[in-house]
Amino acid sequence: MTIPGHSLLKISPGIRYSAAWVLALMTAGIYLYFSWHHFDDPERGDGNRGHTYMDFGGQYLLGRMLVRGEGHHLFSRSAQREVLMECYPRGNEPPDQETSDADQLLDWFVETNDSADHEVSGPLYPPIQAFWFCTLAFLTPQVAYRIVQVIIVLGAFAAGLGLTILSNGRVWWPVATTGVIVFPGFAGSLGLGQNSVFSLLILVWGWVLISRGRPGWGGIVWGLLIFKPVWLAAFFLVPLWSGRWRTCTAMLASSALQAALTLPVVGIHGWIDWLKVGREAARVSLYDPVWIFRGRDLVALPRRWLDLDAPAADLQNNMMANLIGWGLLLIVIEITTRIAVYRRCRGYLGYGPAFLFLGAWLSCVHFMYYDVLLAALPVFLLYQDARRPPWICHVLTMILFLAPAIPALGWGEPATETYCLLGLWIVSGWIWMRGDARTSRVGRVFETHHDI
């Protein structure tokens, strides 16, 4: 009698590896196909409206303004309107569309009246994002949007390769790539032309360099997160907690140099205007239902249970919600700091690094659902420990991967991903703290090998 499981193990590694590549390519193709057609609109002249949403449109606008020589007016509402009207012609819109694509984008942008003749508004990206996107901005929004979608899929393969290198080849490249693609946040990033996969790439390859004895180069790579400063600040905590001072210094130098290089083109006032937009966005995020329900950060978590029909001022100044939200954030930072100082993590795989990365992810002050993808790195590190994860890790991870289906089932958006990752942070910290007493012989050899 043949046992099916044993028969599967008898299949040659070459066949299994080929099957893994078929699975990865099929998964990538399916995700790209559905994202490619998700926003199809036959009434539009261009046939699709994905490029008209703020997630892609905001990035494109900054790049387009730089291409047009408007670097000193990146956050000027009047200059933005002129560029958007040119790039989003009304001939592409449905005949009965009342608000133009350009005006709709402007309405989505955060606006602050700086003065009577200088209205400051725009996406939340700093001026450096205009340089990242300027090459694509030479193209029309529709073409640039499609290219971004293809690049995002290729980015999943690049991230998968980095994870494979981190595991020293124990996890096959196609398997790691499939994990990235099905991880919560990737589908949203792909459909909207968002850039969370590029943030993940920076994290993964920076950690690869650090794990290979190049902490300075790893910090330089992590400094590229300046295009999303909230994540730069959050993940700066990882080398800080683990005592990697060369990485900390390199991160600061890399990000500061990139910002300085933009000054001749955008001027200091470009960064000042961006800070004004960010300050206004922080205020809007306290009462706007879209920001609250699509956000995944701890600060906004308690606001889901408020009466969102209440006046904006009451929601913004709700003392209980503010105390709980900021309290959760500070508790995560304090506990992670305390344990990191006690254990002094110097490893690259397993519960210790996973705990620090999850703590950093949870410490970000504000982010949206597609940025859950950045947690793919700590979840991967968690399962690379020599010790077998307890059953609770498997349960939480399974729920985490099923979380994107929950809104489709009509259960709303309960931020399931945040709860699961908070649980994994707790479990990984607990196991890491108890590791000295409960680690097996193999685990001790593993930790000795990596604890350098």
Side-chain angles (χ1 to χ4, degrees):
M1 179 177 176
T2 302
I3 301 175
H6 286 229
S7 300
L8 182 62
L9 292 175
K10 291 180 180 179
I11 299 175
S12 69
I15 294 177
R16 284 186 277 134
Y17 189 71
S18 299
W21 267 115
V22 171
L23 176 62
L25 293 171
M26 286 181 60
T27 304
I30 291 171
Y31 269 67
L32 181 59
Y33 175 82
F34 281 102
S35 297
W36 196 276
H37 295 286
H38 182 70
F39 294 112
D40 281 353
D41 187 345
E43 295 186 0
R44 291 186 58 89
D46 48 25
N48 187 282
R49 50 190 168 88
H51 61 284
T52 69
Y53 289 105
M54 181 178 66
D55 304 271
F56 170 83
Q59 300 176 83
Y60 179 86
L61 171 65
L62 293 180
R64 185 67 178 180
M65 293 188 71
L66 199 66
V67 168
R68 284 172 48 95
E70 299 281 356
H72 282 268
H73 306 284
L74 285 182
F75 296 94
S76 169
R77 195 168 181 84
S78 58
Q80 291 170 350
R81 182 184 298 276
E82 181 181 343
V83 173
L84 288 173
M85 290 179 64
E86 175 191 313
C87 298
Y88 290 85
R90 299 223 62 173
N92 288 336
E93 302 168 6
D96 58 347
Q97 181 172 315
E98 296 181 1
T99 305
S100 68
D101 294 337
D103 286 335
Q104 186 64 69
L105 278 169
L106 287 170
D107 289 342
W108 280 329
F109 293 158
V110 176
E111 178 183 6
T112 175
N113 292 322
D114 189 46
S115 65
D117 58 346
H118 182 49
E119 292 181 302
V120 176
S121 77
L124 298 183
Y125 296 104
I128 190 112
Q129 179 64 5
F131 293 82
W132 279 70
F133 222 85
C134 64
T135 303
L136 288 171
F138 281 100
L139 308 171
T140 63
Q142 301 94 320
V143 175
Y145 170 67
R146 294 309 192 188
I147 292 177
V148 166
Q149 288 185 299
V150 173
I151 293 175
I152 288 173
V153 173
L154 295 177
F157 284 87
L161 177 59
L163 295 176
T164 298
I165 294 174
L166 278 174
S167 72
N168 296 315
R170 290 190 297 271
V171 178
W172 287 343
W173 183 9
V175 174
T177 299
T178 303
V180 171
I181 294 173
V182 301
F183 203 88
F186 182 83
S189 173
L190 181 58
L192 293 169
Q194 234 283 335
N195 50 42
S196 56
V197 72
F198 306 125
S199 302
L200 177 63
L201 270 173
I202 291 171
L203 282 181
V204 168
W205 283 98
W207 195 239
V208 167
L209 290 169
I210 293 170
S211 69
R212 294 304 185 265
R214 296 179 174 85
W217 283 106
I220 290 173
V221 171
W222 276 3
L224 296 175
L225 286 173
I226 185 64
F227 85 101
K228 275 190 171 181
V230 291
W231 287 119
L232 177 71
F235 286 108
F236 179 76
L237 294 172
V238 173
L240 191 65
W241 281 329
S242 55
R244 293 181 168 92
W245 310 121
R246 192 181 302 177
T247 303
C248 291
T249 303
M251 281 187 73
L252 293 175
S254 173
S255 56
L257 177 61
Q258 292 174 73
L261 290 175
T262 68
L263 295 180
V265 180
V266 304
I268 188 65
H269 64 273
W271 286 88
I272 294 174
D273 287 346
W274 166 71
L275 288 173
K276 294 175 182 177
V277 170
R279 185 169 58 247
E280 179 65 15
R283 187 183 69 84
V284 173
S285 67
L286 298 177
Y287 62 82
D288 186 270
V290 175
W291 288 59
I292 291 173
F293 282 103
R294 294 185 181 178
R296 294 295 184 266
D297 52 280
L298 293 177
V299 175
L301 201 61
R303 296 185 172 276
R304 294 167 171 270
W305 291 277
L306 297 179
D307 178 13
L308 298 182
D309 293 327
D314 293 344
L315 291 171
Q316 180 181 342
N317 299 317
N318 189 290
M319 183 64 68
M320 184 61 68
N322 289 335
L323 287 175
I324 295 175
W326 285 103
L328 287 171
L329 185 80
L330 293 176
I331 286 172
V332 167
I333 294 176
E334 196 278 336
I335 292 177
T336 310
T337 303
R338 185 184 296 269
I339 295 178
V341 170
Y342 175 76
R343 286 298 308 267
R344 185 58 70 183
C345 174
R346 298 294 291 174
Y348 306 109
L349 300 172
Y351 290 104
F355 175 72
L356 298 187
F357 272 100
L358 285 171
W361 184 85
L362 291 165
S363 299
C364 188
V365 293
H366 182 74
F367 57 94
M368 306 300 274
Y369 65 96
Y370 34 68
D371 284 322
V372 173
L373 181 62
L374 275 67
L377 175 57
V379 171
F380 178 86
L381 297 177
L382 181 69
Y383 280 87
Q384 291 304 301
D385 198 283
R387 294 162 286 182
R388 185 173 62 182
W391 64 269
I392 187 64
C393 284
H394 299 303
V395 171
L396 289 170
T397 303
M398 181 182 67
I399 298 174
L400 171 67
F401 275 83
L402 293 176
I406 291 177
L409 296 175
W411 298 346
E413 292 191 23
T416 307
E417 305 99 328
T418 303
Y419 297 128
C420 290
L421 292 168
L422 186 60
L424 289 173
W425 171 76
I426 294 171
V427 172
S428 59
W430 179 78
I431 296 176
W432 186 36
M433 282 291 291
R434 293 173 60 88
D436 289 337
R438 301 178 65 90
T439 303
S440 64
R441 181 180 299 178
V442 174
R444 286 197 295 272
V445 171
F446 181 89
E447 288 190 341
T448 301
H449 175 72
H450 287 280
D451 204 22
I452 58 176

